[in-house]
């Protein structure tokens, strides 16, 4: 019998493969189990990476159509959707091949099939042909990620009623697209198809978009999206969708009750969130504790109530973000190797990759008010930023929230071109418990979009220069 592994990771999304790589770096004999033919999980195969490729391509198409002429560039772009989808697929392959290389480089054993935990220290892998093999290990990390949340009464067929997966495979631009859910996924994919020519209506159960984001940011962002041509029906719910000729008839009702209306659409995208993917693991038989939302309950060291079984990423509490899962993967690998792995949950940025992008880290104003924290606000618009004016990217602003007593930055929010890159500066500052004054006195290159961050920090003390 072969020596047992030190660690088996089930799932090779961002959390799982990063956990495996870090464990191997630390000298642990490591294996991964992956049910897909390729590594990378939802994120690399049908999520983060392909959606960003489509966002990038559609943004350039939209800019060529509506922005180039003002800069003296005369073009008449023609959409080749088949080639755009090929471009997207190439991005996916490049990334999944990269993870396969990391497995080989770090001498990680790989097993393709569905993983099931039959006992603490034992993982059964069922291959696609039905054959089974049992692997022995000292520790198991569950990193199986999440699945698309279903909408009662709406059956996803990935043809006309689609999830985020189907939204990345549409073979033609729908004339009218209804997006159910005004969260990150719905707004990103709605933006892609709006740029490519679809008429887009977003239906949201709540009375606002981007629940959990700073309300000031969400309101401003909604106005920007409306000007771009996306329509919103807030405080409403989709209660049905049935075939009507070649299209769909969608039933929409007020969230608090009232008369339904029928709206025609070619495609309906269900984007109401995601649920932990734990059904095939055998957790109930093992007695692994789950919470009311079907998430695996773990302690401060990511261990479940069953010794030797750990969990990270979308299957445990916290934001369902790839980078959150990655940091947890590193932390649990280091803990298993006898080190002090740790994740600072107060400094996990989140980004909406539309145009302009929306990025945030730390507390929102609503959270600070609820916590009774006295704070100061510094805000600076990109309309007053030299680089933004030169680049015609003046939409949005930077907003910084700092403790009124200590000046420590507690939260930061950006709407603007490249916001997802710029938010990292605020995250680093907050990791070191930096103040708005620290940021305000840091020299920023001119002309750059990041000067707006410095100006927002200056604005906390009511001393912005360019406003």
């Amino acid at each position: 019998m072969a020596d047992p592994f030190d660690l088996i990771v089930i799932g090779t999304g961002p959390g799982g493969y990063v956990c495996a790589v870090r464990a191997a770096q630390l000298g642990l004999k490591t294996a991964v189990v992956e049910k897909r033919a390729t590594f990378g999980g939802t994120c690399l195969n049908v999520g983060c990476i392909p959606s960003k490729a489509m966002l990038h391509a559609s943004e350039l198409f939209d800019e060529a159509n509506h922005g180039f002429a003002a800069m003296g560039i005369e073009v008449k772009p023609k959409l080749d959707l088949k080639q755009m989808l090929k471009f997207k697929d190439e991005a996916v392959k490049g990334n999944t091949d990269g993870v396969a290389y990391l497995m080989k480089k770090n001498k990680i054993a790989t097993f393709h099939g569905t993983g099931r935990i039959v006992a603490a220290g034992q993982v059964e892998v069922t291959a696609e042909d039905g054959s089974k093999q049992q692997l022995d290990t000292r520790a198991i990390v569950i990193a199986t990620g999440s699945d698309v949340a279903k909408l009662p009464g709406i059956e996803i067929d990935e043809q006309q009623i689609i999830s985020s997966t189907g939204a990345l495979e549409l073979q033609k631009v729908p004339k009218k697209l209804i997006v159910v859910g005004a969260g990150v996924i719905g707004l990103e994919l709605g933006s892609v198809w709006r740029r490519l020519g679809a008429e887009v209506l977003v239906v949201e159960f709540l009375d606002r978009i981007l629940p959990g984001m700073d309300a000031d940011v969400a309101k401003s962002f909604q106005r920007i999206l409306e000007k771009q041509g996306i329509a919103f029906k807030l405080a409403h719910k989709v209660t049905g969708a049935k075939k009507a000729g070649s299209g769909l008839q969608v039933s929409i009702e007020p969230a608090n009750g009232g008369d339904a209306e029928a709206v025609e659409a070619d495609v309906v995208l269900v984007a109401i969130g995601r649920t932990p993917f734990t059904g095939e693991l055998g957790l109930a038989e093992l007695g692994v504790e789950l919470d009311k939302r079907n998430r695996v309950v773990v302690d401060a060291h990511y261990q479940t109530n069953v010794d030797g079984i750990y969990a990270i990423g979308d299957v445990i509490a916290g934001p369902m973000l790839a980078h959150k899962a990655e940091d947890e993967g590193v932390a649990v690998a280091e803990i298993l190797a006898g080190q002090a792995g740790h994740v600072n949950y107060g400094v996990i940025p989140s980004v909406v990759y539309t145009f302009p992008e929306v990025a945030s880290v730390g507390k929102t104003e609503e959270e600070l008010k609820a916590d009774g924290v006295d704070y100061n606000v510094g805000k600076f618009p990109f309309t007053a930023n030299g680089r933004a004016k030169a680049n015609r990217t003046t939409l949005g602003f930077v907003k910084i929230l700092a403790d009124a007593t200590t000046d420590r930055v507690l939260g930061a929010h950006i709407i603007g071109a490249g916001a997802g890159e710029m938010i990292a500066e605020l995250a680093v500052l907050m990791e070191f418990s930096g103040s708005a004054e620290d940021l305000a006195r840091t020299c920023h290159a001119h002309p750059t979009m990041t000067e707006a961050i410095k100006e927002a920090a200056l604005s906390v003390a009511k001393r912005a220069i360019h406003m």
Side-chain angles (χ1 to χ4, degrees):
M1 182 177 172
D3 290 338
F5 291 101
D6 295 314
L7 170 64
I8 293 176
V9 182
I10 305 177
T12 63
Y17 85 74
V18 167
C19 177
V21 169
R22 184 65 183 127
Q25 287 177 342
L26 292 166
L28 301 183
K29 184 183 178 184
T30 304
V32 295
V33 177
E34 173 55 56
K35 68 178 182 178
R36 293 178 190 269
T38 53
F39 300 113
T42 294
C43 179
L44 272 64
N45 286 277
V46 293
C48 323
I49 296 302
S51 66
K52 300 315 163 282
M54 291 296 286
L55 281 157
H56 176 63
S58 64
E59 183 183 321
L60 292 178
F61 178 74
D62 195 53
E63 179 74 354
N65 261 316
H66 304 293
F68 278 11
M71 294 183 279
I73 306 169
E74 294 290 345
V75 295
K76 291 183 179 179
K78 179 183 176 183
L79 176 63
D80 182 346
L81 183 57
K82 185 177 180 180
Q83 179 60 32
M84 189 177 286
L85 292 172
K86 182 182 177 184
F87 161 77
K88 176 261 300 181
D89 291 340
E90 288 170 350
V92 170
K93 188 177 188 305
N95 279 275
T96 56
D97 285 355
V99 177
Y101 166 75
L102 291 175
M103 297 294 108
K104 187 175 181 180
K105 174 191 173 187
N106 289 283
K107 297 179 174 58
I108 296 166
T110 60
F111 299 89
H112 285 277
T114 300
R116 182 179 179 85
I117 307 171
V118 293
Q122 292 183 338
V123 175
E124 181 184 77
V125 182
T126 304
E128 197 172 342
D129 63 6
S131 62
K132 300 178 187 291
Q133 67 181 123
Q134 186 171 297
L135 308 175
D136 296 318
T137 181
R138 295 184 176 87
I140 299 166
V141 170
I142 300 166
T144 46
S146 58
D147 197 6
V148 174
K150 307 296 192 296
L151 189 62
I154 309 290
E155 187 174 342
I156 293 172
D157 60 17
E158 299 298 13
Q159 300 297 319
Q160 287 183 289
I161 302 175
I162 61 176
S163 70
S164 55
T165 301
L168 294 165
E169 296 291 344
L170 290 176
Q171 298 302 302
K172 67 177 182 178
V173 178
K175 184 177 178 183
K176 184 163 185 179
L177 169 68
I178 291 179
V179 178
V180 187
V184 176
I185 295 171
L187 296 181
E188 287 186 354
L189 294 174
S191 290
V192 167
W193 294 106
R194 196 282 305 167
R195 293 169 189 163
L196 299 181
E199 180 185 335
V200 178
L201 170 65
V202 178
V203 181
E204 169 57 49
F205 186 81
L206 301 177
D207 62 358
R208 55 162 291 175
I209 71 171
L210 293 178
M213 281 253 185
D214 187 272
D216 177 29
V217 170
K219 285 178 184 176
S220 297
F221 186 48
Q222 183 181 335
R223 287 194 293 269
I224 289 170
L225 292 176
E226 286 172 337
K227 286 181 180 178
Q228 291 177 356
I230 294 179
F232 290 91
K233 192 175 277 292
L234 304 180
H236 279 72
K237 59 185 177 181
V238 171
T239 55
K242 61 183 181 180
K243 296 283 175 70
S246 62
L248 297 166
Q249 189 174 69
V250 183
S251 179
I252 301 175
E253 298 178 11
N256 295 324
D259 295 335
E261 63 176 307
V263 179
E264 292 184 354
D266 298 291
V267 174
V268 172
L269 165 60
V270 179
I272 58 171
R274 299 184 65 82
T275 57
F277 194 86
T278 56
E280 299 174 349
L281 291 166
L283 301 185
E285 295 87 337
L286 291 165
V288 173
E289 185 183 354
L290 304 179
D291 67 13
K292 292 179 181 178
R293 293 170 62 180
N294 236 27
R295 298 175 300 193
V296 180
V297 176
V298 295
D299 63 16
H301 292 136
Y302 304 99
Q303 185 164 240
T304 69
N305 60 310
V306 177
D307 285 349
I309 301 178
Y310 300 76
I312 60 169
D314 287 4
V315 297
I316 69 171
M320 288 182 167
L321 296 169
H323 42 284
K324 175 256 196 188
E326 287 187 19
D327 279 8
E328 289 173 342
V330 170
V332 75
E334 292 176 346
I335 289 167
L336 290 170
Q339 298 186 2
H342 171 71
V343 177
N344 180 2
Y345 289 100
V347 187
I348 295 180
S350 63
V351 183
V352 187
Y353 294 92
T354 47
F355 186 86
E357 291 180 347
V358 181
S360 68
V361 64
K363 298 289 188 179
T364 65
E365 278 204 69
E366 293 70 41
E367 288 171 333
L368 292 177
K369 287 173 182 174
D371 293 341
V373 176
D374 193 14
Y375 64 94
N376 293 321
V377 181
K379 200 170 175 181
F380 190 82
F382 284 108
T383 51
N385 175 269
R387 182 68 183 274
K389 287 179 181 178
N391 287 4
R392 295 170 57 86
T393 53
T394 55
L395 290 172
F397 56 83
V398 178
K399 178 178 179 179
I400 293 174
L401 307 172
D403 188 284
T405 303
T406 66
D407 195 40
R408 179 179 176 178
V409 173
L410 304 174
H413 309 274
I414 307 173
I415 303 177
E421 304 291 342
M422 287 189 278
I423 201 67
E425 177 177 357
L426 279 308
V428 171
L429 179 87
M430 290 171 65
E431 276 289 353
F432 287 89
S433 302
S435 67
E437 179 76 6
D438 292 329
L439 192 52
R441 293 191 177 278
T442 300
C443 188
H444 286 64
H446 174 77
T448 61
M449 298 285 282
T450 61
E451 287 177 286
I453 295 175
K454 176 175 181 171
E455 291 276 5
L458 285 164
S459 183
V460 170
K462 306 293 186 288
R463 58 191 183 96
I465 300 297
H466 292 90
M467 183 175 64

